[in-house]
Each structure stands twice: as C-alpha cells, then as structure tokens.
Amino acid sequence: MLVKKSFHSLTGKLILAIGTLMIAGSLLFWLFLFKHQEKELIQSSVKYGHSFVDYVRKSTRSGMLTVQGRLIQQTVEDVGVTEGIMNLRIFNSKGKISYSSDRSNIGTVLDKNSELCIRCHGISGPVKDTPNWTISKGKQYRTLNIVQPIYNEPSCYNASCHIHSKEQRVLGLVEADFSLELLDKSIMQQGIAITVYVVAFSFAISIALCVILWNFVSTPLALLSLGMKKVTAGDLDYKVAVIRKDEIGELANTFNIMNGELKKAKNELLEWGNTLEKKVQEKTEAIHRAQQQLVHSEKLASLGRMAAGVAHEINSPLTGIVTFGHLLQKKFPQGTEEREDLDVIIDQANRCANIIKGLLGFARASAADKALTNINDVLHSSLNIVRNKADFFNLIIATDLDPALKRVRADAPQLQQVFLNMIVNAADACEGKGTITIRTSNVTGNKQDFVEIEFRDTGCGIRDEDIEKIFEPFFTTKPVGKGTGLGLAVSHGIIQEHGGKITISTKIGEGTSFFIWLPAWKEEA
C-alpha cells in the first residue's frame, strides 16, 4: 500500500518524470558521445592510413624512377609486415598488380567490375583519381582500405627511360588494407566505460533527486496534509513546522495564519453564542418584567377608572352640601360663629369639588384635539390636582411662570398628563421633603421660538448609567409597586408628537431638572 501510494504521490510522479527525462537525455548524450568518439578515431585511423600509404609511395619512388623492381618489391614486403597491415599492393595504370606484400597476387589483373575499379572508374572511363578510403566488415573486426594514386611528375616523364608520356596523369595506385582491430576494441571499451558512467551518473542523480524531493517536497507536503487532518479534527492550535523561504514555506505560513484566523473566528462564534444566550435570557427576563408591569398598569388603569367613578359619585353629594350650605347662610347674619362655620364648610366642599373635577377631566378619555393653549393655565390646573395630596404636605412648590408666555398649539389634557408625571416624579425624588420649582419662559433655538417649561427638584439626582434608559418603556428606579416605568416613556412620546423635546440636567445628591421645549405659536400681527 505504501509503495502504491508513493507511485501515485507528487514525489513519485516527479521522480518518474524527471528520471525518465534524465535517462532519455543520458542515452542521447551517450549515443552522441559514442558516435563522436568513433568518428574521431576513424578519422585518426584514415589520417594514419594516408600517411602510411604516402610513406610507401615515397619509399618506392626512387626504385620506380630507376626501374628497380626487386628493390620496390622488397620495400613493399618489408613495410607490409608492419603490425596492423593486412595487405599492401601497387597497381600499374592497367589495373595489374605489379608489387604486393603477398607475392601470390603479383601479376593479377583486376576485373573492371571489381569494387576497387568502380570506386575510381565508370562505364565511360575514369571519374576521379583522388585518394579515397572505405571501411568494410571483416569476420571479427573491420578493415580500412585506402587507395592513393601515383601521379606523373616531371622527374618521371623526363627520365632517360621515357616509359611514361607527359600527358599521362596517373601512373598507378598504392592500395593498403589496415586491420581496425585496435580501433574496434578501443571503441568497445570506451562504449562500455561511457555506459557504466552514464548508468552510475543516472543512479547517483536519481538518489540525489529522491533525497531532494523527499526533503523539499514530500516531507513538507506530508506535514501540511497532517495539519489539514488536525484542523479537520478540530485542533486549531496545531502549527505546521515548515520554516522556509520558498513557495512551500509561504504555503505553510499561510496555513498557520489561516489556522489562527479559524481559531479566532471560532472563539468569536463561541463568545457570540454565549453573548446571544445571555442576551436572550436578559430579554426573556425583561419581557417577563414587562408583562408584570403591564398587569400592574392594567390594575392602575382599572383603579383609575374606579376612582373616576367614585369621584363622579362623590361630586353629587358635594354639590348638595354646597347648595344647602348656601341656604343655611341666609339664616345666620354676618359675623356670627355659625355663619363662619358655614363659610368654612362651603369653601372646603368647593375645594373638594374642584379636585374631583380636575381628576375627572384628567381621567376622561378623549381624542387628541390640538388647539391654542396657555401652558401656565395647564400648569395651574395640574398643581390644583396634586397640591392637597398627602405626599406634597411637606414639599415647597415654587412657581416662576412668565405672564408673557407665548401660546402653543397642543392637546391640553395630554400636556397635563406630562406635567403631572413630572411633578409626581419630582416629589418622589425628594422623598417628601424639599423644593419643587416650576418655571416657564420664552426661548429661541435654531432660529425658531419655543416655550420652555422647567421642573426642578432638590432630590437625589439620577445616575449617569440610568440617564440613557429613563425614557425606555418599563424602566424605573422606583421600588416595586411605586412605579410602572411608563410615565417618562409616554411623556417623551407626547412631547415628540407635539414637535418638542425633553432634556435633562442632573447631579447626584443635589437634584434634577427636566426641560421641556414646545414650538411657540406665531401670533398674527
């Protein structure tokens, strides 16, 4: 399995491809080198052969000029026994062997169709008379045949013998057969040496290639593959230990960076999941609290409706008390004690009637009807409702209402709801003791006229972390049963609907100021 895997691996494919190219290249190099060496050796042999034949020609020149046949034959025989010389012959111009290292060949005339004649002669006569050579295969080793013409020269045709005429160019041929045994053996030995060298070189290069690919390709890729498996298994802390400056090193570095980013993303997802779970739990608790507050608000609304009904029922007896009080006043003259007592009874009954009238007006559900409204009048009406509550007995309510206050276009009952909420909240902040100051004035902002209403108390103040939440529905800092957390949220919505805004200025331990700005109505000139 491991061997099969190695053949199909990148390293195996690279080794196979590069090894094939190296073997093919080595074979081509070996073939080129072998042929080149063979060519060089043959050329050297031919050069040596020509030199040898030329030496024979020159050695026999003197004998030919003096027509000493025995001397020429002796020279040919002496030279012909030289190692590597298989045969040495001298032909005349008629193709007859005049001299030979083998005496049995003397006198033999070559056939015109023989290979030697064809090399120089055609059907119509001589075609070339230059030196030439051929190599032929023997029984064991090859044979080099060299033919060199014997040219006519002045010393020959001017000799006293006058055997040859001046017009005859070639007087004969010198032919020699050389054994290439040493050459063939040398070529074979060199071929074997080159083959061994090429095989050894290919083997060494293959081993080196395997080591290089194993260290620089296979091992890093195996580490990267292991890293991928580790990451797949969830081990995001694993780092690939490949420290290099090449492409694989960059790949390993990129893998480590990716692994780190995956770990970071996983941690963020886990943290986000935990945060989401916490948020869901917080929202669930908030919804539960809101549901409880809604139930409590519904109770308060029911209680309000019941109080309105009770106030309506009380209003009739109070009317009767005031009526009969006035009737009784007629029976007692001014200045009597009875008359004074009746005045007190009538005043207190009228006071109760006014309080109940204000409650009924506040509790009465009516559609929003915006009209020109005097803010000071709405504040007076709101103060009449709360002034005689027990919570306000120890509080000082100070007013600074601008008599020249501009009117606003608003729904008076809705503004009264806002003002009552502000006054009640101020009283709760003072915890029954302190001062509540209500101030009105005309102001200008962003090139527009506004009416400013300030509610300032000397209570405990509001913490910084609670300021951003006080206008959220159901948020309250009051104890359970004393607040629903809806008052400021509703007030904020009413003021925004009227095109105004509410701002806060507070300091812990010193008090809080709520500023309400409402757009002033532009009075026609």
Side-chain angles (χ1 to χ4, degrees):
M1 183 67 181
L2 183 61
V3 174
K4 183 178 180 181
K5 181 178 179 181
S6 64
F7 280 121
H8 291 282
S9 65
L10 178 61
T11 303
K13 292 178 180 178
L14 287 174
I15 291 175
L16 182 62
I18 298 175
T20 302
L21 290 175
M22 286 184 58
I23 292 173
S26 299
L27 288 175
L28 291 175
F29 173 74
W30 174 84
L31 182 61
F32 169 78
L33 186 62
F34 183 80
K35 291 296 182 180
H36 180 73
Q37 287 290 98
E38 182 180 15
K39 182 179 178 181
E40 289 290 329
L41 291 174
I42 289 176
Q43 288 179 352
S44 297
S45 298
V46 170
K47 185 177 181 181
Y48 167 77
H50 279 294
S51 297
F52 178 81
V53 171
D54 188 60
Y55 169 75
V56 171
R57 184 179 60 81
K58 290 179 179 180
S59 298
T60 58
R61 180 173 179 274
S62 177
M64 289 183 180
L65 290 176
T66 57
V67 193
Q68 297 184 24
R70 182 174 297 180
L71 177 61
I72 297 172
Q73 177 62 31
Q74 186 63 42
T75 302
V76 170
E77 290 180 1
D78 292 340
V79 175
V81 297
T82 305
E83 183 180 3
I85 305 301
M86 299 176 62
N87 192 19
L88 179 61
R89 297 180 294 182
I90 298 177
F91 295 84
N92 62 15
S93 59
K94 303 297 183 179
K96 178 181 177 182
I97 300 176
S98 299
Y99 307 100
S100 174
S101 59
D102 184 2
R103 287 179 174 271
S104 61
N105 292 330
I106 297 175
T108 304
V109 179
L110 292 180
D111 185 2
K112 292 183 179 180
N113 296 323
S114 65
E115 182 181 355
L116 181 61
C117 291
I118 293 174
R119 283 160 58 183
C120 298
H121 295 268
I123 298 175
S124 59
V127 295
K128 63 179 180 177
D129 52 14
T130 57
N132 60 80
W133 59 273
T134 59
I135 294 178
S136 59
K137 292 183 179 181
K139 294 182 179 180
Q140 291 183 343
Y141 304 103
R142 291 178 296 174
T143 301
L144 172 62
N145 178 262
I146 293 180
V147 176
Q148 191 174 95
I150 301 175
Y151 296 106
N152 192 7
E153 57 187 38
S155 59
C156 182
Y157 58 74
N158 290 326
S160 59
C161 61
H162 300 289
I163 296 176
H164 305 291
S165 65
K166 182 179 179 180
E167 287 75 15
Q168 187 176 358
R169 187 168 182 271
V170 178
L171 304 180
L173 298 174
V174 178
E175 180 198 24
D177 291 326
F178 301 90
S179 174
L180 297 181
E181 178 180 356
L182 295 177
L183 176 64
D184 289 343
K185 287 183 179 180
S186 177
I187 291 175
M188 184 178 297
Q189 291 175 355
Q190 289 188 6
I192 294 173
I194 293 174
T195 302
V196 172
Y197 169 76
V198 169
V199 171
F201 174 77
S202 300
F203 180 77
I205 292 297
S206 299
I207 295 298
L209 181 64
C210 289
V211 173
I212 292 172
L213 291 176
W214 179 265
N215 291 328
F216 289 94
V217 178
S218 182
T219 300
L221 290 179
L223 291 175
L224 286 171
S225 178
L226 178 62
M228 291 292 183
K229 293 179 181 179
K230 292 283 187 180
V231 172
T232 304
D235 185 6
L236 299 180
D237 293 321
Y238 183 80
K239 300 293 183 183
V240 177
V242 178
I243 304 175
R244 284 161 50 177
K245 295 183 179 180
D246 54 9
E247 289 80 359
I248 293 181
E250 293 179 0
L251 180 61
N253 186 44
T254 304
F255 174 83
N256 292 333
I257 293 174
M258 178 197 71
N259 205 10
E261 292 297 326
L262 286 175
K263 182 180 179 181
K264 181 180 178 181
K266 180 181 178 181
N267 293 335
E268 289 178 353
L269 286 174
L270 291 175
E271 184 178 355
W272 184 82
N274 294 332
T275 303
L276 180 61
E277 183 179 358
K278 185 178 179 181
K279 291 291 184 182
V280 170
Q281 185 178 0
E282 291 176 355
K283 291 298 181 181
T284 302
E285 294 175 356
I287 292 173
H288 183 66
R289 289 195 302 270
Q291 185 179 9
Q292 292 178 344
Q293 295 289 351
L294 284 174
V295 173
H296 185 62
S297 299
E298 184 62 28
K299 290 181 181 179
L300 292 178
S302 300
L303 183 60
R305 289 192 295 271
M306 185 182 297
V310 172
H312 188 274
E313 294 297 329
I314 293 175
N315 193 40
S316 297
L318 287 176
T319 303
I321 292 173
V322 172
T323 302
F324 284 104
H326 283 293
L327 291 175
L328 287 174
Q329 277 183 333
K330 296 177 181 181
K331 295 181 179 182
F332 300 99
Q334 291 286 344
T336 61
E337 184 178 353
E338 289 80 1
R339 181 65 180 262
E340 293 178 358
D341 292 339
L342 286 172
D343 290 338
V344 172
I345 291 172
I346 291 172
D347 289 340
Q348 295 299 321
N350 284 330
R351 186 179 177 184
C352 291
N354 288 332
I355 293 173
I356 291 172
K357 183 179 179 181
L359 285 173
L360 288 174
F362 178 71
R364 186 181 298 114
S366 60
D369 185 14
K370 293 182 180 180
L372 291 178
T373 304
N374 190 316
I375 296 297
N376 290 339
D377 294 341
V378 180
L379 287 171
H380 282 302
S381 176
S382 302
L383 288 173
N384 287 334
I385 295 176
V386 300
R387 194 183 298 275
N388 296 295
K389 288 183 62 177
D391 295 343
F392 289 81
F393 287 165
N394 297 322
L395 289 172
I396 299 174
I397 299 179
T399 59
D400 180 14
L401 306 181
D402 187 354
L405 192 67
K406 296 180 180 181
R407 294 186 297 172
V408 299
R409 185 171 180 81
D411 187 337
Q414 289 186 353
L415 291 184
Q416 187 178 36
Q417 180 180 352
V418 174
F419 298 159
L420 284 173
N421 183 70
M422 294 293 176
I423 296 170
V424 172
N425 284 345
D428 291 339
C430 292
E431 297 180 351
K433 295 180 181 180
T435 301
I436 299 175
T437 302
I438 302 173
R439 183 185 59 83
T440 61
S441 61
N442 295 314
V443 296
T444 302
N446 295 328
K447 299 180 181 181
Q448 185 178 357
D449 294 332
F450 290 90
V451 172
E452 182 183 72
I453 308 101
E454 178 186 0
F455 297 89
R456 184 171 67 248
D457 63 68
T458 57
C460 58
I462 303 174
R463 295 180 302 177
D464 293 339
E465 58 268 24
D466 293 335
I467 290 179
E468 297 179 356
K469 304 177 183 177
I470 59 175
F471 293 117
E472 294 181 3
F474 306 111
F475 176 79
T476 180
T477 58
K478 299 176 182 179
V480 178
K482 201 169 183 180
T484 62
L486 293 171
L488 285 176
V490 173
S491 299
H492 188 263
I494 292 173
I495 297 302
Q496 281 190 329
E497 186 180 352
H498 283 76
K501 63 179 180 178
I502 302 177
T503 57
I504 307 170
S505 175
T506 184
K507 192 170 184 180
I508 298 297
E510 294 185 9
T512 302
S513 293
F514 282 85
F515 299 91
I516 298 176
W517 280 27
L518 292 171
W521 177 259
K522 293 182 179 180
E523 302 287 347
E524 294 182 0

